[in-house]
Amino acid sequence: MSYLESLRVFTRVVELGSITSGGRDLRLTPAVASKRIKELEKHLGVRLFNRTTRSLTPTEVGKVFYDYAVKALESIEDAEAAVASFSDTPRGVIRVTAPLGAGRRIIAPLVPRFVEKFPATEVHMRLSDRKVDILSDGLDVAFFIGTPQDSNLKLRKISDCPRVLCAAPEYLEKHGTPRTPDDLLSDEHNCLLLRYPRSPEYYWVLQTPAGPRKLQVSGKMDADHGDVLTDWALSGYGIVNKPRFDVAQHLESGRLVEILKDTPPPPTIFGCLYPHRRLQDPKIRHFVDFVISNADVAG
């Protein structure tokens, strides 16, 4: 098993670009990860990385070995999944990613319950509002809110996810309450936007009697963290477009007020993506089924 662990460390170090990051991803200290790489190099009799004080890159032979190592690890995972399917007992590590809001409020509360029900499993979660690459990041399941474009992955819809426009009472008192979608385009209003590097063109879509209306909204503040936008809205700095479940408690308490109820944003999709080769793995199937059975995104 130590050789397999060395292979796993090696592939993640190549993918993440450093021994520290590769080790951390596998819950190993830098010292242990470095030891695994040295053991592998000693076993193979070659140098797998070019090391400088600022960078770590695979050698030519390291690149060749990486391609074969990835295939070997995938074959082992497939073999283990096939054996596990005979008993249909989930076991092993499940690497999960989700947007910050959905991850914290929907997925995270379900993880302890799942692990208690299936004690032979481990769940490693990564939360980010940025787009992730499931395959290169070594992930098993990626939950999302929206409409993903990646057709190389298996998509499973969990439910529709209602969205809402809202702002703090003090913001509306100061700037006025928008009565029509066009009011959002006024210089009087500050729309709080979710942006991140390489994010697509930003706009809000509202449902109107004439059909969906795309609005090129703007604002003086944006962030790549959905909860930051909620905090700004709560502090009276602008209007936010959020999944209803994400702000339900604030709407109920009155700290945020829903606006443009007659022309709300259309509901989006809450679902998950996973590689096709994971379809027969009991731990993936059971985890996704568990989330689908217990998730509440209605708000």
Short mmCIF file of all heavy atoms in Angstrom, two decimals, residues 71-114:
data_model
loop_
_atom_site.label_atom_id
_atom_site.label_comp_id
_atom_site.label_asym_id
_atom_site.label_seq_id
_atom_site.Cartn_x
_atom_site.Cartn_y
_atom_site.Cartn_z
N LYS A 71 -3.29 6.27 -15.12
CA LYS A 71 -4.06 5.14 -15.63
C LYS A 71 -4.08 3.98 -14.65
O LYS A 71 -5.10 3.32 -14.45
CB LYS A 71 -3.47 4.69 -16.97
CG LYS A 71 -3.63 5.71 -18.08
CD LYS A 71 -2.93 5.24 -19.36
CE LYS A 71 -3.03 6.30 -20.45
NZ LYS A 71 -2.29 5.88 -21.68
N ALA A 72 -2.93 3.73 -14.00
CA ALA A 72 -2.85 2.64 -13.02
C ALA A 72 -3.76 2.90 -11.84
O ALA A 72 -4.50 2.00 -11.38
CB ALA A 72 -1.41 2.46 -12.56
N LEU A 73 -3.76 4.13 -11.32
CA LEU A 73 -4.60 4.46 -10.17
C LEU A 73 -6.08 4.40 -10.54
O LEU A 73 -6.91 3.95 -9.75
CB LEU A 73 -4.23 5.85 -9.64
CG LEU A 73 -2.86 5.96 -8.96
CD1 LEU A 73 -2.52 7.41 -8.66
CD2 LEU A 73 -2.81 5.13 -7.69
N GLU A 74 -6.41 4.84 -11.74
CA GLU A 74 -7.80 4.76 -12.19
C GLU A 74 -8.24 3.31 -12.31
O GLU A 74 -9.37 2.96 -11.94
CB GLU A 74 -7.97 5.48 -13.53
CG GLU A 74 -7.89 7.00 -13.43
CD GLU A 74 -8.07 7.67 -14.79
OE1 GLU A 74 -8.03 6.95 -15.82
OE2 GLU A 74 -8.24 8.90 -14.81
N SER A 75 -7.37 2.46 -12.81
CA SER A 75 -7.71 1.04 -12.94
C SER A 75 -7.93 0.40 -11.57
O SER A 75 -8.86 -0.40 -11.39
CB SER A 75 -6.59 0.30 -13.68
OG SER A 75 -6.49 0.75 -15.02
N ILE A 76 -7.11 0.78 -10.60
CA ILE A 76 -7.27 0.25 -9.25
C ILE A 76 -8.58 0.72 -8.64
O ILE A 76 -9.32 -0.05 -8.01
CB ILE A 76 -6.07 0.66 -8.36
CG1 ILE A 76 -4.80 -0.07 -8.83
CG2 ILE A 76 -6.34 0.36 -6.89
CD1 ILE A 76 -3.54 0.42 -8.19
N GLU A 77 -8.90 2.01 -8.83
CA GLU A 77 -10.16 2.54 -8.31
C GLU A 77 -11.35 1.85 -8.96
O GLU A 77 -12.35 1.52 -8.29
CB GLU A 77 -10.24 4.05 -8.54
CG GLU A 77 -9.27 4.85 -7.69
CD GLU A 77 -9.35 6.34 -7.97
OE1 GLU A 77 -10.15 6.73 -8.86
OE2 GLU A 77 -8.62 7.10 -7.32
N ASP A 78 -11.26 1.61 -10.27
CA ASP A 78 -12.34 0.91 -10.96
C ASP A 78 -12.49 -0.51 -10.44
O ASP A 78 -13.62 -1.02 -10.27
CB ASP A 78 -12.08 0.89 -12.47
CG ASP A 78 -12.22 2.26 -13.11
OD1 ASP A 78 -12.83 3.15 -12.48
OD2 ASP A 78 -11.74 2.44 -14.24
N ALA A 79 -11.37 -1.17 -10.20
CA ALA A 79 -11.41 -2.54 -9.68
C ALA A 79 -12.03 -2.57 -8.29
O ALA A 79 -12.86 -3.44 -7.98
CB ALA A 79 -10.00 -3.13 -9.66
N GLU A 80 -11.65 -1.64 -7.44
CA GLU A 80 -12.21 -1.59 -6.10
C GLU A 80 -13.70 -1.29 -6.14
O GLU A 80 -14.48 -1.86 -5.37
CB GLU A 80 -11.48 -0.52 -5.26
CG GLU A 80 -10.03 -0.89 -4.93
CD GLU A 80 -9.32 0.21 -4.17
OE1 GLU A 80 -9.81 1.37 -4.21
OE2 GLU A 80 -8.29 -0.07 -3.55
N ALA A 81 -14.11 -0.39 -7.05
CA ALA A 81 -15.53 -0.06 -7.18
C ALA A 81 -16.32 -1.28 -7.66
O ALA A 81 -17.44 -1.54 -7.20
CB ALA A 81 -15.72 1.10 -8.14
N ALA A 82 -15.72 -2.05 -8.60
CA ALA A 82 -16.40 -3.24 -9.11
C ALA A 82 -16.59 -4.27 -8.01
O ALA A 82 -17.65 -4.89 -7.88
CB ALA A 82 -15.61 -3.83 -10.27
N VAL A 83 -15.56 -4.46 -7.18
CA VAL A 83 -15.66 -5.41 -6.07
C VAL A 83 -16.69 -4.93 -5.06
O VAL A 83 -17.52 -5.71 -4.56
CB VAL A 83 -14.29 -5.61 -5.39
CG1 VAL A 83 -14.44 -6.41 -4.11
CG2 VAL A 83 -13.32 -6.30 -6.34
N ALA A 84 -16.66 -3.63 -4.75
CA ALA A 84 -17.60 -3.07 -3.78
C ALA A 84 -19.04 -3.20 -4.25
O ALA A 84 -19.97 -3.33 -3.45
CB ALA A 84 -17.27 -1.61 -3.49
N SER A 85 -19.23 -3.17 -5.58
CA SER A 85 -20.60 -3.24 -6.11
C SER A 85 -21.27 -4.57 -5.81
O SER A 85 -22.50 -4.66 -5.79
CB SER A 85 -20.58 -2.99 -7.62
OG SER A 85 -19.93 -4.05 -8.30
N PHE A 86 -20.47 -5.61 -5.55
CA PHE A 86 -21.06 -6.91 -5.25
C PHE A 86 -21.76 -6.89 -3.89
O PHE A 86 -22.76 -7.56 -3.69
CB PHE A 86 -19.99 -8.00 -5.27
CG PHE A 86 -19.62 -8.44 -6.65
CD1 PHE A 86 -18.56 -7.85 -7.32
CD2 PHE A 86 -20.35 -9.43 -7.30
CE1 PHE A 86 -18.22 -8.23 -8.60
CE2 PHE A 86 -20.01 -9.83 -8.59
CZ PHE A 86 -18.95 -9.22 -9.24
N SER A 87 -21.22 -6.11 -2.97
CA SER A 87 -21.85 -6.01 -1.65
C SER A 87 -22.69 -4.75 -1.53
O SER A 87 -23.49 -4.61 -0.60
CB SER A 87 -20.78 -6.01 -0.55
OG SER A 87 -19.96 -4.86 -0.66
N ASP A 88 -22.49 -3.81 -2.50
CA ASP A 88 -23.20 -2.53 -2.49
C ASP A 88 -22.96 -1.76 -1.19
O ASP A 88 -23.82 -1.03 -0.71
CB ASP A 88 -24.71 -2.74 -2.70
CG ASP A 88 -25.38 -1.48 -3.24
OD1 ASP A 88 -24.75 -0.79 -4.06
OD2 ASP A 88 -26.51 -1.19 -2.82
N THR A 89 -21.78 -1.97 -0.62
CA THR A 89 -21.41 -1.29 0.63
C THR A 89 -20.45 -0.16 0.32
O THR A 89 -19.33 -0.41 -0.12
CB THR A 89 -20.76 -2.27 1.62
OG1 THR A 89 -21.67 -3.32 1.90
CG2 THR A 89 -20.39 -1.55 2.91
N PRO A 90 -20.83 1.09 0.55
CA PRO A 90 -19.93 2.21 0.28
C PRO A 90 -18.71 2.16 1.20
O PRO A 90 -18.85 1.97 2.41
CB PRO A 90 -20.79 3.45 0.58
CG PRO A 90 -22.18 2.97 0.62
CD PRO A 90 -22.13 1.55 1.06
N ARG A 91 -17.53 2.35 0.63
CA ARG A 91 -16.33 2.46 1.42
C ARG A 91 -15.29 3.27 0.66
O ARG A 91 -15.29 3.29 -0.57
CB ARG A 91 -15.77 1.07 1.78
CG ARG A 91 -15.36 0.19 0.61
CD ARG A 91 -14.72 -1.11 1.09
NE ARG A 91 -15.63 -1.89 1.90
CZ ARG A 91 -15.50 -2.08 3.21
NH1 ARG A 91 -14.49 -1.54 3.86
NH2 ARG A 91 -16.38 -2.79 3.87
N GLY A 92 -14.46 3.96 1.41
CA GLY A 92 -13.41 4.75 0.79
C GLY A 92 -13.67 6.25 0.85
O GLY A 92 -14.66 6.71 1.44
N VAL A 93 -12.77 7.00 0.24
CA VAL A 93 -12.82 8.47 0.29
C VAL A 93 -13.69 9.01 -0.84
O VAL A 93 -13.60 8.56 -1.98
CB VAL A 93 -11.40 9.06 0.17
CG1 VAL A 93 -11.46 10.58 0.11
CG2 VAL A 93 -10.54 8.61 1.35
N ILE A 94 -14.55 9.99 -0.51
CA ILE A 94 -15.36 10.68 -1.49
C ILE A 94 -14.92 12.14 -1.49
O ILE A 94 -15.03 12.83 -0.47
CB ILE A 94 -16.86 10.60 -1.16
CG1 ILE A 94 -17.29 9.15 -0.96
CG2 ILE A 94 -17.69 11.27 -2.25
CD1 ILE A 94 -18.69 9.00 -0.40
N ARG A 95 -14.41 12.61 -2.63
CA ARG A 95 -13.92 13.98 -2.73
C ARG A 95 -15.01 14.83 -3.39
O ARG A 95 -15.37 14.62 -4.53
CB ARG A 95 -12.63 14.01 -3.54
CG ARG A 95 -11.49 13.28 -2.83
CD ARG A 95 -10.22 13.20 -3.67
NE ARG A 95 -9.16 12.55 -2.91
CZ ARG A 95 -8.99 11.24 -2.84
NH1 ARG A 95 -9.82 10.43 -3.49
NH2 ARG A 95 -8.00 10.72 -2.13
N VAL A 96 -15.50 15.80 -2.62
CA VAL A 96 -16.70 16.56 -3.00
C VAL A 96 -16.36 18.04 -3.08
O VAL A 96 -15.61 18.57 -2.24
CB VAL A 96 -17.82 16.34 -1.96
CG1 VAL A 96 -19.06 17.15 -2.33
CG2 VAL A 96 -18.15 14.87 -1.83
N THR A 97 -16.92 18.72 -4.07
CA THR A 97 -16.83 20.17 -4.12
C THR A 97 -18.23 20.75 -4.29
O THR A 97 -19.13 20.08 -4.80
CB THR A 97 -15.92 20.65 -5.26
OG1 THR A 97 -15.75 22.08 -5.16
CG2 THR A 97 -16.52 20.33 -6.62
N ALA A 98 -18.40 22.00 -3.83
CA ALA A 98 -19.71 22.67 -3.92
C ALA A 98 -19.49 24.17 -3.79
O ALA A 98 -18.47 24.61 -3.24
CB ALA A 98 -20.64 22.18 -2.81
N PRO A 99 -20.43 24.98 -4.31
CA PRO A 99 -20.36 26.42 -4.06
C PRO A 99 -20.42 26.69 -2.56
O PRO A 99 -20.97 25.88 -1.80
CB PRO A 99 -21.59 26.96 -4.78
CG PRO A 99 -22.00 25.89 -5.74
CD PRO A 99 -21.60 24.60 -5.12
N LEU A 100 -19.89 27.81 -2.15
CA LEU A 100 -19.79 28.11 -0.72
C LEU A 100 -21.14 28.06 -0.01
O LEU A 100 -21.29 27.40 1.00
CB LEU A 100 -19.14 29.48 -0.53
CG LEU A 100 -17.64 29.53 -0.86
CD1 LEU A 100 -17.21 30.96 -1.15
CD2 LEU A 100 -16.84 28.97 0.29
N GLY A 101 -22.13 28.76 -0.56
CA GLY A 101 -23.42 28.82 0.11
C GLY A 101 -24.09 27.46 0.18
O GLY A 101 -24.52 27.01 1.24
N ALA A 102 -24.18 26.78 -0.97
CA ALA A 102 -24.82 25.47 -1.01
C ALA A 102 -24.02 24.45 -0.20
O ALA A 102 -24.59 23.58 0.47
CB ALA A 102 -24.96 25.00 -2.45
N GLY A 103 -22.71 24.57 -0.26
CA GLY A 103 -21.87 23.63 0.49
C GLY A 103 -22.08 23.75 1.99
O GLY A 103 -22.24 22.75 2.69
N ARG A 104 -22.09 24.99 2.48
CA ARG A 104 -22.24 25.21 3.93
C ARG A 104 -23.65 24.90 4.42
O ARG A 104 -23.82 24.32 5.49
CB ARG A 104 -21.89 26.67 4.27
CG ARG A 104 -20.42 27.01 4.13
CD ARG A 104 -20.16 28.46 4.45
NE ARG A 104 -20.59 28.81 5.80
CZ ARG A 104 -20.63 30.04 6.26
NH1 ARG A 104 -20.32 31.06 5.48
NH2 ARG A 104 -21.01 30.28 7.49
N ARG A 105 -24.66 25.29 3.64
CA ARG A 105 -26.03 25.22 4.15
C ARG A 105 -26.78 23.95 3.76
O ARG A 105 -27.73 23.57 4.45
CB ARG A 105 -26.80 26.46 3.68
CG ARG A 105 -26.24 27.75 4.28
CD ARG A 105 -26.85 29.00 3.66
NE ARG A 105 -26.25 30.19 4.23
CZ ARG A 105 -25.11 30.72 3.84
NH1 ARG A 105 -24.44 30.17 2.85
NH2 ARG A 105 -24.61 31.80 4.42
N ILE A 106 -26.37 23.31 2.67
CA ILE A 106 -27.09 22.12 2.21
C ILE A 106 -26.26 20.85 2.36
O ILE A 106 -26.70 19.88 2.99
CB ILE A 106 -27.52 22.28 0.74
CG1 ILE A 106 -28.47 23.48 0.59
CG2 ILE A 106 -28.20 21.01 0.24
CD1 ILE A 106 -28.84 23.78 -0.85
N ILE A 107 -25.05 20.85 1.79
CA ILE A 107 -24.25 19.62 1.75
C ILE A 107 -23.59 19.33 3.09
O ILE A 107 -23.68 18.20 3.60
CB ILE A 107 -23.18 19.70 0.64
CG1 ILE A 107 -23.80 20.13 -0.69
CG2 ILE A 107 -22.47 18.36 0.51
CD1 ILE A 107 -24.86 19.19 -1.20
N ALA A 108 -22.93 20.32 3.68
CA ALA A 108 -22.16 20.07 4.91
C ALA A 108 -22.99 19.46 6.04
O ALA A 108 -22.53 18.54 6.71
CB ALA A 108 -21.49 21.37 5.37
N PRO A 109 -24.22 19.93 6.29
CA PRO A 109 -25.00 19.30 7.38
C PRO A 109 -25.33 17.84 7.12
O PRO A 109 -25.60 17.09 8.07
CB PRO A 109 -26.28 20.16 7.41
CG PRO A 109 -25.89 21.47 6.82
CD PRO A 109 -24.90 21.11 5.75
N LEU A 110 -25.31 17.42 5.85
CA LEU A 110 -25.65 16.03 5.53
C LEU A 110 -24.45 15.09 5.65
O LEU A 110 -24.63 13.88 5.80
CB LEU A 110 -26.21 15.94 4.10
CG LEU A 110 -27.47 16.75 3.82
CD1 LEU A 110 -27.88 16.58 2.35
CD2 LEU A 110 -28.62 16.31 4.73
N VAL A 111 -23.24 15.64 5.58
CA VAL A 111 -22.04 14.79 5.57
C VAL A 111 -21.91 13.95 6.84
O VAL A 111 -21.68 12.73 6.75
CB VAL A 111 -20.78 15.64 5.33
CG1 VAL A 111 -19.51 14.83 5.60
CG2 VAL A 111 -20.77 16.16 3.89
N PRO A 112 -22.03 14.53 8.05
CA PRO A 112 -21.91 13.69 9.25
C PRO A 112 -22.95 12.57 9.30
O PRO A 112 -22.65 11.45 9.73
CB PRO A 112 -22.12 14.68 10.41
CG PRO A 112 -21.77 16.01 9.83
CD PRO A 112 -22.22 15.95 8.40
N ARG A 113 -24.15 12.87 8.84
CA ARG A 113 -25.21 11.85 8.83
C ARG A 113 -24.86 10.72 7.87
O ARG A 113 -25.10 9.54 8.15
CB ARG A 113 -26.54 12.48 8.46
CG ARG A 113 -27.08 13.44 9.52
CD ARG A 113 -28.21 14.31 8.97
NE ARG A 113 -29.28 13.52 8.36
CZ ARG A 113 -30.27 14.05 7.66
NH1 ARG A 113 -30.32 15.37 7.48
NH2 ARG A 113 -31.20 13.27 7.14
N PHE A 114 -24.28 11.07 6.72
CA PHE A 114 -23.91 10.05 5.75
C PHE A 114 -22.79 9.17 6.29
O PHE A 114 -22.84 7.94 6.17
CB PHE A 114 -23.46 10.71 4.44
CG PHE A 114 -23.02 9.73 3.39
CD1 PHE A 114 -23.94 9.08 2.59
CD2 PHE A 114 -21.67 9.44 3.21
CE1 PHE A 114 -23.54 8.16 1.62
CE2 PHE A 114 -21.26 8.53 2.25
CZ PHE A 114 -22.20 7.89 1.45
#
